[in-house]
Amino acid sequence: MNDQGSESESTPPPNNDISCQRCKLKKIRCNRSKPICGKCESLGVECTYIARRTGPRRNRRLEGMLQEIFQRLDRLEGLIVAGPAQQPLRVGNQLDTPMPTPSLQVNQHAAFNPVLDLVIETSKAAREQLTSGSYQSTHEEIQTLLATLPQTVCDVQEQLSVKRKSWQMTSWNIPIEKAKKWVNYWFDSIGMESRFLHPRRDFITSIPDLLENPHIRIDFATQITYYNLLYSGMVFHEDQDVEQGSYGRQIYRRILSLIPEWEREAGATTMDFLASFFTVSMTLAFSEPDLGYKMLSYSCKTGQGLGLFQIDNPDEPQSNANGLLPEIEDNPKEKDRMRMAFWFLLHYDCIFRLRFKRPALIQQGAWAVKIPSVVDDIVNNIGFDPLHFIVCTKITLVIMKFFELVEHEIPPDIGPRVCSLVEEINSIAVTWRLEKNIMTATDIVGRYLYVDQLFSSYVNIILICSYRPELLHIPELNECLMKAARGSLGLLIQMTKSGFKSSWQTSVRSSWLLVSYLAIYRTILQTPDLAKSVSDLDSMVWLESTLDTWSEQHEEIVALQVAIKGLNRIVHLSVEPMKSSASLKSPSDSLFGTTRVSFLVAVSALEFN
């Protein structure tokens, strides 16, 4: 195409490499003319430029690759929106070829405890609110709760931890026919969720029978992979089993019992990669992010041994020296599977970094991986859902841009720049109509896929807006944060009231929203808006009641249940002197109503099944 006629508008001056803010947000070409660019001048709108922040020297090759990645994602998004829906082809492959073994040493960090963090941060906000008033010493009950609730939560968590350590293999009672049904369902309907490296179906589906044979030994990596697929097949199966909670705990117990043995023999095979990678999401479902980070570390180190980090590095010829087998190097389809594996690995790394403040396992400049060539051929026989990949990858890239923005000195224009990142995440949900699709999806896998994408959008907006304390004092960011917090809790309520069959699935997702609960508690304690305080507290009262019901079958959320009970009482007592007590409902009459049953007595009555 001849662009000479529009050169003045499309070609930026050589000494001005920053687009104006409007063109940047609209993602349109800017001629970068100052004081007003061509686009803004033609439209008669305000044109503003944000000064480039000085910082360390950038990795230009990585920048170029990221720019190409954004372009390829936009092309893929356009193809999917414009073209007819197509069923992805299911492709399996045997991927248990031994690779060079990297070191699997994992750095030790302080244990994650998000539930305790929720209690501590909310209690801190309550103390600040109390000390700012004249009634700080008038509530003996609230002072007692503030002093005892953190230890109470720790005690409950310790009870569960002790119980998990005592779990024995003899507790297994999942019928073999159900196990076969769920594993086959994974390959039929959920296997595409992995989007990348697959174990062979004929082998994995034979494992239920093989485990019955005492003369056959199955390596630990394969067993862990099998139990992860079994769990996924069970929780997503259309016929929701009434024993789903019990079966889920049994599967997780079995994985926990296998991990120490697997660690002793783990190498750098693709089965080791799959075992560690799949277990990451399992640990998050059972509220053990510390173990999840450890398994993610294994995945990263094993992925390096498999050559996942340097698939498209022009400076390193792809060979056995960096892990890629010749047959994979010459097979574009398998190369795309490896690219897919890396991008989902990078997504998890960004999530742990943002959500749990853990050091990055995948360092900037340590990888060279392009977007899979599915952009050029929408079907391409790769066997994955392009929508899920687009959403995850776009969120990953937004998080990477956020860390580049805040990892050094906070710039003075941090508010508008973070708001633009929030808008990028919001645009994903709008573009793909996630809220509408949740209710119109005809299959359970697709329905939960949309739910998880929307939850991910909400939670990551909250984490970005509250990542550093100074961000909480920026009004526009606080507004974005509260919109996402209320939206995520509203989605949880919608799941419960709109016919989602699995209380197990919904209760697991309730533990993802701790940052939402913290944001809501802070707002109740700090806002002068009575109507919003009443509405927000009512939502948390609903959550408390719902957790009471769920915890009867799902012991994994008992610590969260105890925390929400105590915090609801603390928040109610804290705001009661400030607002009309008649306008606020006292949460959980069964526990904190007119009888004023002691919180500690109520907690002591809890029993683990």
Side-chain angles (χ1 to χ4, degrees), residues 337-366:
R337 290 183 182 282
M338 298 185 74
R339 291 186 180 106
M340 197 68 57
F342 172 81
W343 278 100
F344 278 99
L345 199 63
L346 183 62
H347 178 72
Y348 264 131
D349 189 39
C350 286
I351 293 302
F352 270 89
R353 189 178 173 191
L354 181 65
R355 185 172 183 180
F356 301 112
K357 304 288 199 312
R358 282 311 178 202
L361 294 168
I362 302 176
Q363 300 299 325
Q364 180 177 337

Side-chain angles (χ1 to χ4, degrees), residues 304-321:
Q304 283 182 304
L306 293 171
L308 298 185
F309 287 31
Q310 300 296 329
I311 299 172
D312 298 299
N313 188 345
D315 299 331
E316 292 190 28
Q318 302 299 319
S319 66
N320 284 341

Side-chain angles (χ1 to χ4, degrees), residues 178-187 204-205 208 226 230:
K178 287 187 177 181
K180 290 179 179 179
K181 177 179 71 173
W182 293 332
V183 173
N184 277 288
Y185 184 76
W186 187 91
F187 281 98
I204 293 295
T205 54
Y226 160 74
L230 176 63

Side-chain angles (χ1 to χ4, degrees), residues 390-605:
I390 291 173
V391 172
C392 287
T393 305
K394 282 199 166 185
I395 288 177
T396 300
L397 294 171
V398 170
I399 294 174
M400 292 173 68
K401 289 195 289 185
F402 172 74
F403 280 122
E404 183 181 355
L405 182 64
V406 300
E407 65 184 357
H408 302 293
E409 183 178 353
I410 295 291
D413 58 344
I414 185 65
R417 296 175 74 169
V418 173
C419 280
S420 95
L421 296 179
V422 169
E423 185 54 37
E424 285 190 51
I425 297 178
N426 280 329
S427 69
I428 298 171
V430 173
T431 300
W432 294 105
R433 300 181 300 173
L434 297 181
E435 290 189 47
K436 180 179 179 181
N437 290 340
I438 287 171
M439 305 312 301
T440 59
T442 57
D443 65 287
I444 189 172
V445 177
R447 201 174 190 189
Y448 278 111
L449 179 64
Y450 288 122
V451 164
D452 291 347
Q453 289 166 345
L454 193 53
F455 269 137
S456 178
S457 298
Y458 284 139
V459 169
N460 284 301
I461 287 173
I462 297 169
L463 291 169
I464 284 174
C465 293
S466 59
Y467 185 76
R468 293 179 61 157
E470 52 265 49
L471 298 180
L472 293 171
H473 302 294
I474 301 176
E476 57 265 39
L477 294 186
N478 194 56
E479 182 179 348
C480 292
L481 181 152
M482 281 309 302
K483 185 176 180 180
R486 292 179 178 127
S488 62
L489 185 54
L491 178 57
L492 189 68
I493 295 172
Q494 181 184 9
M495 287 181 66
T496 305
K497 297 181 177 180
S498 301
F500 278 75
K501 295 180 180 179
S502 173
S503 65
W504 171 269
Q505 290 271 46
T506 311
S507 67
V508 164
R509 282 157 178 78
S510 70
S511 65
W512 298 356
L513 305 184
L514 299 179
V515 291
S516 300
Y517 309 150
L518 175 59
I520 290 172
Y521 280 138
R522 279 175 170 163
T523 298
I524 294 173
L525 290 167
Q526 297 170 358
T527 184
D529 190 324
L530 175 61
K532 288 184 178 179
S533 292
V534 171
S535 176
D536 286 337
L537 188 55
D538 281 348
S539 295
M540 297 309 296
V541 169
W542 171 88
L543 177 64
E544 177 185 334
S545 175
T546 305
L547 289 175
D548 285 345
T549 302
W550 287 341
S551 63
E552 294 175 3
Q553 293 183 332
H554 312 311
E555 63 186 27
E556 294 73 26
I557 63 171
V558 170
L560 176 59
Q561 172 204 15
V562 171
I564 295 297
K565 280 183 182 295
L567 292 176
N568 275 358
R569 186 59 179 161
I570 288 173
V571 170
H572 174 73
L573 292 173
S574 297
V575 301
E576 191 173 25
M578 297 173 57
K579 302 179 174 74
S580 171
S581 59
S583 301
L584 291 175
K585 299 178 182 178
S586 180
S588 186
D589 287 340
S590 62
L591 182 61
F592 297 126
T594 55
T595 57
R596 302 284 179 175
V597 178
S598 166
F599 172 75
L600 296 178
V601 171
V603 169
S604 67

Side-chain angles (χ1 to χ4, degrees), residues 41-164:
E41 184 176 23
S42 64
L43 295 172
V45 297
E46 183 181 2
C47 183
T48 57
Y49 287 89
I50 295 179
R52 180 180 294 278
R53 178 170 54 96
T54 60
R57 184 177 180 179
R58 298 169 180 261
N59 186 325
R60 295 298 177 185
R61 188 177 72 184
L62 179 60
E63 283 188 346
M65 180 173 290
L66 289 176
Q67 182 63 32
E68 179 183 353
I69 286 166
F70 275 115
Q71 293 171 355
R72 291 171 72 87
L73 278 172
D74 289 339
R75 288 171 57 200
L76 176 57
E77 193 170 48
L79 284 169
I80 296 174
V81 172
Q86 304 183 53
Q87 291 295 326
L89 301 181
R90 298 187 175 97
V91 182
N93 189 34
Q94 177 70 17
L95 291 169
D96 54 358
T97 306
M99 296 288 183
T101 304
S103 168
L104 295 182
Q105 183 64 36
V106 181
N107 293 329
Q108 297 297 318
H109 301 279
F112 298 117
N113 198 332
V115 176
L116 183 60
D117 289 344
L118 169 66
V119 171
I120 292 173
E121 291 301 316
T122 304
S123 298
K124 185 187 300 183
R127 285 191 177 93
E128 292 174 356
Q129 192 268 350
L130 285 172
T131 55
S132 66
S134 58
Y135 52 88
Q136 58 263 35
S137 61
T138 61
H139 254 307
E140 185 175 331
E141 183 182 357
I142 190 173
Q143 298 292 351
T144 301
L145 281 169
L146 288 171
T148 59
L149 183 58
Q151 186 58 51
T152 303
V153 170
C154 288
D155 291 343
V156 172
Q157 291 176 325
E158 182 60 25
Q159 292 178 42
L160 181 57
S161 177
V162 170
K163 183 174 182 180
R164 282 180 174 169

